[in-house]
Amino acid sequence: MYARVWGPLAVIPPQDGTDLVRNEGTLRITDTCVYLDRLGSIEVLFWPADRTAWNKELRAITFTNFDGTVVTVDDGDHVVLGGGGDSSAESGVSGEEWAKRMEWVARPAASCALDARFGVGGVQRGSP
């Protein structure tokens, strides 16, 4: 359905809505994973397919918010995210089991740390 190159992004099918939990930190983009770094604690990020694009040349993510604003972010940017997530400690579900339960357009790489995860529903540039 989505014939796009997703690079290191973990991508889920389009969602009708999103949770509104605020989460902020530094965006970390590796060759295989995209994380939010919150003062040394990392959460793997997963993105909705219909509002997310990966720019291979720039190694940047372009995201369209529900209000129509478009934001492009890359490694090292401080971001404020809306969405929702959990961790293995909170839910009792291991990262591997969580990944098996999800429906994916682009599954996270096996090497990604999945014990803390956050579904992106909104993106803003922030200031540290």
Side-chain angles (χ1 to χ4, degrees), residues 1-2 4 6 11-16 47-53 63-64 66 105:
M1 179 173 173
Y2 293 94
R4 295 186 189 166
W6 296 109
V11 182
I12 59 173
Q15 305 295 297
D16 291 334
W47 308 77
D50 58 333
R51 299 187 297 125
T52 308
F63 188 85
T64 303
F66 280 122
V105 172

Side-chain angles (χ1 to χ4, degrees), residues 14-105:
Q15 305 295 297
D16 291 334
T18 186
D19 290 331
L20 298 175
V21 174
R22 178 187 169 104
N23 201 356
E24 68 180 286
T26 303
L27 190 66
R28 296 292 177 215
I29 300 173
T30 72
D31 289 338
T32 55
C33 310
V34 178
Y35 297 106
L36 182 68
D37 181 339
R38 294 177 44 197
L39 303 172
S41 175
I42 61 169
E43 297 176 342
V44 69
L45 300 176
F46 55 102
W47 308 77
D50 58 333
R51 299 187 297 125
T52 308
W54 170 248
N55 184 315
K56 182 179 176 181
E57 291 75 33
L58 297 177
R59 293 186 49 80
I61 302 161
T62 299
F63 188 85
T64 303
N65 290 297
F66 280 122
D67 68 2
T69 58
V70 177
V71 179
T72 298
V73 292
D74 57 18
D75 185 57
D77 284 348
H78 187 85
V79 293
V80 177
L81 305 176
D86 71 350
S87 68
S88 297
E90 289 175 84
S91 68
V93 177
S94 72
E96 295 75 23
E97 183 60 31
W98 166 80
K100 286 180 190 174
R101 294 179 182 182
M102 294 288 291
E103 182 180 348
W104 297 104
V105 172

